[in-house]
Amino acid sequence: VQLVESGGGLVQPGGSLRLSCTCSGNIFRVATMAWYRQALGKQRELVSAITWNFTTTYSDSAKGRFAISKDHAENTLFLQMDNLRPEDTALYYCNLKYADVDDWGQGTQVTVSS
């Protein structure tokens, strides 16, 4: 499985970004998809996840500001991020888990700064 993220960039505090992750292969519909992030000098952390049947979870930091979604027709995962804060600055990774498959994209950088 190949995962390719896009949509990162530089945004001012309070701004919005929409991340996308396009997935190759045919297990996207049955996998659990997630967004993780890793800030400089910190451990990778889960931001949000969505299961095969669209059940979603969010970290405390993401609740109320971020929204995860997916499009089965396009094999694409999204993360809508609103009201961004400087502490959201990180490399954001897409992750797919299904059975013994645990694949990662190479990440897209999000920088929140004025």
Side-chain angles (χ1 to χ4, degrees):
V1 174
Q2 206 171 17
L3 303 171
V4 180
E5 301 100 333
S6 61
L10 173 63
V11 64
Q12 292 189 340
S16 298
L17 283 174
R18 189 189 197 208
L19 305 184
S20 299
C21 171
T22 301
C23 173
S24 67
N26 57 4
I27 61 172
F28 179 80
R29 290 171 182 248
V30 295
T32 293
M33 302 297 302
W35 289 99
Y36 286 75
R37 69 186 184 188
Q38 187 166 18
L40 206 58
K42 295 190 177 180
Q43 288 193 331
R44 192 172 296 189
E45 62 175 359
L46 176 66
V47 176
S48 182
I50 186 166
T51 65
W52 65 274
N53 62 347
F54 295 86
T55 300
T56 59
T57 57
Y58 295 93
S59 67
D60 287 344
S61 174
K63 276 178 195 169
R65 299 188 300 126
F66 296 179
I68 193 169
S69 62
K70 57 178 178 168
D71 183 334
H72 282 178
E74 298 293 329
N75 270 19
T76 303
L77 176 73
F78 301 101
L79 185 68
Q80 177 66 41
M81 304 189 295
D82 297 322
N83 192 20
L84 283 160
R85 305 166 179 165
E87 54 264 38
D88 295 317
T89 295
L91 193 57
Y92 283 70
Y93 295 92
C94 176
N95 173 257
L96 180 149
K97 285 188 178 63
Y98 179 71
D100 59 350
V101 177
D102 186 358
D103 285 339
W104 297 85
Q106 46 219 115
T108 185
Q109 178 68 36
V110 171
T111 303
V112 185
S113 174
S114 54

